[in-house]
């Protein structure tokens, strides 16, 4: 006996990837529904070897469905997620709406899977920000061994994090550089993204940080440990898919690079590729379509007593969004719903 599953926002980048991953991982589905906004009703999307036609989110009845994976913005989530949850369908939400709600668990299964049973308070589980998800997978096993005090992270985030519009803007601007007949001004981003990097993701806050940077701080504390100090600089780069992060870690106990490498090799969800030679590391282009979070460039930071540096790369549409949501669904099934 399998689950009755709803994917909300099935025509977007993340929604389509959710459908792909549900099929790839052979999630026990008895019935699946693909929902979208009214303008996209009837659009065909793939689920394994099946083709689904999208239905209208506005009129859909969630009664009798087991779980709904939401891949829409906060406004639509705010309207429809409570309706789904109230009808008995567990919501796994990819937006930022519920991440900081104390009554909603924020889950990365490899890191804090035990917190999932908190879903019963609102029948909602939150999926973290893409840049946070891959980082905490790397932090948790090191924290368990040596207790992390402080993290300094700089991100190199792909345009797919801004959705299809972000990818289209990079593509059109890149073409315009080589064929300058048509000017393609910045629209989705604040400056031209082609052949450029932009140190600005989401809105600015009063202290000068951006909301994306604040998310990494708040979410790391909620998922891993509230005592960890985090400072982030989040940068958009002209890469279509795959987020990269340069992470500097300060621990309470000494942890040398060799032991850190061994710990990460054994940690769930991580692949270590760390050779000190040309090409002995992973770039975002190489991680696309993969489930893993890749760690490279592990080395001691000699400027502090207990410091490590590492390079972290992951497919942001997968571990940063759709994969993590499906892993939450799998965990929910194993721990609570127990079908399939």
């Amino acid at each position: 006996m399998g689950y009755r599953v709803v994917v909300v926002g099935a025509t977007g980048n993340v929604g389509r990837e959710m459908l792909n991953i549900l099929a790839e991982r052979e999630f026990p589905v008895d019935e699946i529904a693909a929902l979208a906004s009214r303008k996209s009703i009837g659009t065909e999307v793939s689920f394994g070897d099946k083709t689904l036609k999208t239905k209208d989110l506005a009129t859909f009845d969630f009664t009798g469905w087991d779980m709904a994976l939401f891949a829409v913005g906060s406004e639509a989530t705010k309207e429809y997620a409570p309706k789904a949850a109230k009808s008995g369908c567990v919501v796994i939400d990819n937006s930022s709406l519920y991440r900081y709600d104390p009554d909603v668990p924020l889950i990365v299964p490899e890191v804090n899977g035990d917190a999932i049973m908190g879903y019963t308070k609102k029948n909602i589980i939150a999926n973290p920000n893409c840049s946070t998800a891959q980082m905490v997978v790397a932090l948790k096993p090191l924290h368990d061994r040596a207790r992390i005090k402080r993290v300094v992270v700089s991100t190199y985030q792909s345009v797919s994090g801004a959705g299809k519009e972000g990818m289209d803007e990079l593509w059109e601007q890149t073409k315009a550089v080589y064929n300058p007949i048509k000017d393609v001004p910045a629209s989705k981003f604040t400056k031209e993204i082609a052949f450029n990097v932009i140190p600005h993701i989401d809105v600015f806050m009063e202290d000068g940080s951006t909301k994306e940077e604040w998310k990494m701080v708040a979410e790391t504390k909620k998922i891993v440990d509230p005592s960890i100090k985090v400072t982030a600089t989040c940068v958009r780069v002209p890469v279509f898919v795959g987020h990269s992060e340069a992470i500097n870690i300060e621990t309470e106990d000494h942890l040398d690079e060799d032991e850190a490498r061994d710990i990460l090799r054994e940690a769930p969800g991580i692949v270590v590729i760390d050779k000190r030679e040309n090409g002995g590391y992973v770039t975002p282009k190489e991680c696309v379509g993969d489930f893993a979070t890749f760690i490279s460039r592990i080395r001691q930071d000699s400027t502090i007593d207990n410091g490590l540096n590492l390079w972290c790369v992951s497919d942001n549409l997968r571990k940063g969004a759709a994969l993590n949501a499906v892993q939450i669904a799998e965990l929910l099934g194993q721990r609570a719903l127990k079908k399939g």
Side-chain angles (χ1 to χ4, degrees):
M1 187 178 180
Y3 297 96
R4 301 183 75 214
V5 179
V6 182
V7 174
V8 180
T11 59
N13 287 345
V14 174
R16 288 178 186 271
E17 201 68 10
M18 284 175 172
L19 288 166
N20 290 338
I21 293 170
L22 285 165
E24 283 176 33
R25 292 173 73 91
E26 297 181 346
F27 187 83
V29 171
D30 261 3
E31 187 177 354
I32 191 159
L35 307 187
S37 62
R38 191 154 288 166
K39 66 182 180 181
S40 298
I41 294 173
T43 300
E44 293 186 344
V45 292
S46 297
F47 174 64
D49 57 2
K50 298 178 182 176
T51 299
L52 309 175
K53 285 193 174 182
T54 56
K55 299 177 181 179
D56 186 6
L57 169 60
T59 59
F60 188 78
D61 183 1
F62 289 90
T63 306
W65 293 82
D66 295 302
M67 55 183 82
L69 282 62
F70 271 65
V72 290
S74 293
E75 285 304 310
T77 300
K78 187 175 183 180
E79 182 174 356
Y80 296 107
K83 293 178 181 178
K86 192 174 180 180
S87 73
C89 179
V90 182
V91 170
I92 300 170
D93 177 33
N94 195 62
S95 81
S96 62
L97 184 64
Y98 293 105
R99 289 176 188 159
Y100 317 106
D101 186 328
D103 291 333
V104 174
L106 180 64
I107 301 294
V108 176
E110 300 94 330
V111 178
N112 65 334
D114 289 343
I116 198 168
M117 294 311 292
Y119 86 92
T120 56
K121 292 180 181 176
K122 287 192 174 179
N123 230 25
I124 297 172
I125 303 165
N127 208 21
N129 186 44
C130 49
S131 51
T132 306
Q134 69 187 71
M135 182 173 76
V136 297
V137 169
L139 295 184
K140 181 61 163 60
L142 301 177
H143 184 63
D144 287 346
R145 160 61 181 83
R147 195 160 183 83
I148 294 172
K149 292 167 57 177
R150 182 171 185 256
V151 176
V152 181
V153 57
S154 297
T155 72
Y156 307 78
Q157 294 179 226
S158 65
V159 294
S160 57
K164 183 177 181 298
E165 291 175 348
M167 297 177 79
D168 288 346
E169 190 159 310
L170 173 57
W171 176 240
E172 294 301 327
Q173 287 181 351
T174 302
K175 288 192 295 182
V177 169
Y178 291 103
N179 184 22
I181 296 170
K182 177 185 174 188
D183 183 39
V184 184
S187 173
K188 184 66 178 178
F189 303 112
T190 54
K191 296 197 176 189
E192 182 175 305
I193 186 61
F195 301 92
N196 199 15
V197 298
I198 305 171
H200 176 192
I201 301 177
D202 213 322
V203 297
F204 274 99
M205 304 182 76
E206 284 187 11
D207 66 353
S209 62
T210 64
K211 195 169 183 183
E212 184 81 358
E213 292 156 358
W214 175 84
K215 288 174 187 174
M216 293 193 75
V217 175
E219 292 174 21
T220 301
K221 288 175 176 290
K222 185 172 180 179
I223 296 167
V224 183
D225 188 331
S227 68
I228 295 177
K229 295 178 180 178
V230 181
T231 182
T233 301
C234 293
V235 182
R236 190 73 72 188
V237 298
V239 170
F240 282 107
V241 178
H243 286 357
S244 307
E245 298 171 348
I247 306 173
N248 176 268
I249 300 164
E250 182 182 1
T251 58
E252 287 187 6
D253 300 328
H254 181 71
L255 178 61
D256 70 45
E257 61 191 42
D258 293 325
E259 185 182 358
R261 197 174 289 108
D262 289 342
I263 289 168
L264 290 168
R265 281 198 177 110
E266 296 298 318
I270 289 176
V271 172
V272 174
I273 298 178
D274 186 22
K275 299 177 182 178
R276 295 177 177 178
E277 60 187 44
N278 292 348
Y281 40 81
V282 177
T283 61
K285 187 174 182 180
E286 295 160 299
C287 78
V288 174
D290 207 297
F291 289 140
T293 295
F294 293 89
I295 305 296
S296 308
R297 302 293 317 281
I298 303 166
R299 61 205 188 278
Q300 224 78 46
D301 175 3
S302 61
T303 66
I304 51 178
D305 289 338
N306 299 319
L308 286 169
N309 288 302
L310 55 87
W311 175 251
C312 175
V313 178
S314 192
D315 182 331
N316 56 293
L317 298 179
R318 290 203 154 212
K319 187 55 191 171
L323 171 61
N324 200 71
V326 173
Q327 288 177 307
I328 290 171
E330 292 170 344
L331 189 63
L332 178 68
Q334 294 160 9
R335 299 280 182 92
L337 304 186
K338 298 184 180 179
K339 290 185 184 179

